[in-house]
């Protein structure tokens, strides 16, 4: 049984708290958040203790591991402090808002010996994982093209977008990791940002984007993002090779279809919230983390994966601003 502390009682904190509390091999021991009574309220739902200072988490001898869901600028400081205290870490993405912060901490990051995993939950989605397994088994021959579609039901508040680091760091970063998961190293990034929402444009960010990534193998990934989708949380993936294609489709609450005089094969909207759509992924992700910690085996995602995803996000941002492809060394 792993005693886990959670740093951050915001939206993602609630996701992790629920997942940890429901897991048979984990106990939510402590919730930490400096703002108001957020930690106390969340902790009370699951019988956990609470605190306001992250230092209390790192010093707590009863805590075996830490899930970091704090604001992105605190990810590296919290990760390093937890690791230095000998606690395993599951950290939310992105690792930082700027590669300069990674470079500044590189020596300390390289010295970490405790397990550190990053929350790229798309890798653990059963459908996406099944597609990747089929690709690795050669079911469609060599992978030539990968298409990732990720559209949110609605944009987050403008105040959040202002501090999010932009669409490529905040939203597309999951897709960058998925592309690397399938294709390996990426050598070129070309991004087109779209300003369809005046309120988001005023923040200096994009509300939609299309990104193409070229891998060392010659395979190409296309990522299509939008912060608005009238039909719900649109999450699809297609892998195409010389010998065939694989498709992971959207998830709905049921498989019911309606046909009558007005519609044919009408279905319910896509699931409307990332927690519902990726509930299994969060559960499997946590299981993979616990298994790696208890068995002392490598974590499925690493600091290097997080750094590479951020590198792609920065390249996409540069490409969208300049209108030119960005080559990666």
């Amino acid at each position: 049984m792993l005693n886990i502390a959670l740093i951050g009682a915001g939206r993602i904190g609630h996701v992790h708290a629920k997942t940890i509390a429901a897991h048979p091999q984990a106990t939510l021991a402590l919730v930490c958040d400096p703002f108001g009574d957020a930690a106390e309220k969340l902790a009370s739902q699951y019988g956990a203790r609470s605190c306001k200072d992250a230092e209390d988490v790192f010093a707590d001898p009863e805590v075996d591991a830490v899930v970091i869901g704090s604001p992105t600028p605190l990810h590296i400081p919290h990760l390093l402090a937890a690791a230095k205290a000998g606690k395993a870490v599951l950290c939310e993405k992105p690792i930082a808002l700027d590669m300069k912060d990674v470079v500044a901490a590189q020596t300390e990051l390289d010295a970490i010996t405790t397990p550190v995993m990053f929350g790229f939950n798309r890798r653990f989605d059963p459908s996406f994982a099944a597609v990747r397994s089929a690709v690795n088994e050669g079911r469609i021959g060599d992978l030539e093209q990968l298409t990732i579609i990720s559209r949110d039901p609605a944009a987050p508040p403008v105040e959040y977008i202002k501090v999010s680091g932009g669409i490529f760091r905040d939203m597309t970063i999951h897709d960058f990791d998925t592309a690397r998961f399938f294709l390996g190293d990426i050598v070129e990034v070309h991004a087109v940002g779209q300003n369809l929402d005046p309120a988001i444009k005023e923040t200096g960010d994009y509300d939609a984007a299309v990104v193409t990534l070229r891998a060392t193998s010659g395979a190409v990934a296309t990522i299509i993002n939008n912060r608005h989708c009238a039909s719900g949380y649109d999450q699809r993936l297609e892998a195409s090779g010389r010998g065939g294609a694989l498709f992971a489709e959207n998830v709905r609450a049921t498989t019911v279809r309606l046909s009558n005089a007005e519609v044919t094969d009408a279905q319910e909207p896509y699931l409307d919230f990332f927690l519902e759509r990726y509930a299994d992924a969060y559960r499997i992700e946590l299981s993979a983390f616990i298994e790696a910690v208890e068995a002392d085996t490598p974590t499925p995602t690493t600091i290097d994966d997080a750094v590479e995803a951020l590198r792609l996000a920065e390249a996409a941002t540069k490409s969208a601003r300049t209108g030119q492809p960005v080559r990666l060394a």
Side-chain angles (χ1 to χ4, degrees), residues 139-145 238-247:
R139 299 288 297 277
I140 61 170
D142 291 339
L143 182 59
E144 297 176 343
Q145 296 175 326
E238 174 195 309
S240 177
R242 185 175 298 273
L246 294 153
F247 304 87

Side-chain angles (χ1 to χ4, degrees), residues 203-220:
T203 71
D205 194 17
Y206 305 107
D207 48 278
V210 177
V211 184
T212 56
L213 308 173
R214 186 162 60 87
T216 54
S217 66
V220 172

Side-chain angles (χ1 to χ4, degrees), residues 148-170:
I148 303 167
I149 297 174
S150 178
R151 299 184 178 106
D152 286 351
V158 167
E159 293 306 312
Y160 170 81
I161 289 176
K162 288 178 180 178
V163 298
S164 70
I167 191 171
F168 298 116
R169 291 176 179 83
D170 174 53

